[in-house]
Amino acid sequence: MIEYFLIIMNRGLILVFFILIFYIGFIGFSDFSKISNNLSDFNYNLIPVIFLFVISAFMILGIRQFFVLKQIGISLSIRDNLKLYFSGLSMIISPGGAGQLIKSYYLKKKYNYEIKETLPLVFVERFLDLICITTLIIFSLLFIQNIEIIFLASIVSLLIIMIILIIKFKKLFTLVTNQLSKISFFKKFVKDSSDTYNSLNKMTSTKSLLLGYGLGMISFSFDAIAVYFIFMAFDVDLNFFKIIASIYPSILYGALSFIPGGVGVTELTALRLLTDEGISTSLSSTIILTTRFFTIWFVTVLGFAITKILLKK
């Protein structure tokens, strides 16, 4: 299994290169001097508050991982569990976050748990994230009407129902895994689909899903509050629900695009939604770049740092 992740990591420099090219173009399009001026007006006193909510949000997801693993008889200490969770975040910029499957490798290497048993972990986490983000968006639509976002929420809701059906009906699950086995990247992971299905069912029991959903909603609420404080730091007076309706649909678009980190899709979608709210292009771009820094890029770097610690022991 590790050879697949070594390939991903070896391609990391190429990925970073293209990400830098995009951001250089994005900043150039938005006017570098105006972005620089916006950053100089940023209220840096709010940085500790933003970091507090961001880190708390991810720690709650780490605790959620503890309960998900417990469903299949894996009981790591909270400390080890959080290290495992944050190390997985080093691969969050992989398409759909699939690179976080490396956590199964860590569980095998350090704790001798079978990969086929822990493989569904990342899928369950991403599935719960999808439900939570969609819930936030639907909740925002109670206060803000937007046809595009209503359509997106409807499509994703149908996708969630399809996934639930695949999880609960083994024949559907087998059909899907047989199709995935034709893809070289997934072939290694789905060869023991029977054991994987048993673990998946335990992780997605009604009790487990409800607990995971509850913790996920707390986490994403904290994340939304952090984003709200970023807007406040730029002195942008935008309704909290409008912020959700502008930022989180772009995250969904980015995730569904399966582009690493959603780079490009997320930023450009958020830019369009924020400018529709009357915020200038340069200020919208500055807010988006700052939000991405405090969330995905910060935790990616943190994940790499924790991964080094994890691999040393």
Side-chain angles (χ1 to χ4, degrees), residues 153-287:
S154 300
I155 294 298
V156 175
S157 296
L158 287 174
L159 176 61
I160 290 170
I161 293 171
M162 287 176 60
I163 293 172
I164 291 173
L165 291 175
I166 291 170
I167 292 172
K168 296 305 176 184
F169 293 94
K170 192 170 184 178
K171 287 185 178 180
L172 278 176
F173 177 82
T174 303
L175 178 63
V176 171
T177 53
N178 285 341
Q179 293 301 312
L180 288 176
S181 66
K182 297 176 182 179
I183 303 173
S184 58
F185 179 81
F186 292 104
K187 187 175 182 179
K188 178 79 173 179
F189 304 139
V190 298
K191 66 178 184 179
D192 298 314
S193 60
S194 180
D195 291 321
T196 300
Y197 180 77
N198 291 333
S199 291
L200 179 61
N201 256 290
K202 291 177 182 177
M203 290 182 182
T204 55
S205 65
T206 302
K207 180 181 177 181
S208 180
L209 283 179
L210 288 175
L211 179 59
Y213 174 71
L215 289 171
M217 284 306 301
I218 295 172
S219 171
F220 280 98
S221 296
F222 278 16
D223 184 77
I225 293 171
V227 174
Y228 178 72
F229 275 111
I230 291 173
F231 277 77
M232 285 184 61
F234 284 107
D235 198 26
V236 175
D237 185 18
L238 193 63
N239 182 285
F240 180 72
F241 300 106
K242 285 187 176 181
I243 291 174
I244 291 176
S246 298
I247 298 299
Y248 287 90
S250 66
I251 295 173
L252 267 188
Y253 278 122
L256 295 174
S257 72
F258 270 79
I259 294 173
V263 174
V265 175
T266 300
E267 287 81 0
L268 294 175
T269 303
L271 178 63
R272 177 172 57 80
L273 292 172
L274 286 176
T275 52
D276 285 348
E277 293 296 334
I279 303 174
S280 68
T281 298
S282 62
L283 182 54
S284 295
S285 298
T286 311
I287 291 171

Side-chain angles (χ1 to χ4, degrees), residues 13-37:
L13 289 177
I14 299 174
L15 177 60
V16 169
F17 173 76
F18 282 108
I19 289 173
L20 287 174
I21 291 296
F22 167 77
Y23 279 120
I24 290 171
F26 186 73
I27 292 171
F29 168 77
S30 304
D31 194 323
F32 175 79
S33 61
K34 289 182 179 179
I35 288 179
S36 180
N37 289 335

Side-chain angles (χ1 to χ4, degrees), residues 48-63:
V49 179
I50 295 168
F51 270 126
L52 174 64
F53 278 102
V54 169
I55 294 174
S56 296
F58 281 102
M59 288 190 72
I60 291 170
L61 293 182
I63 293 171

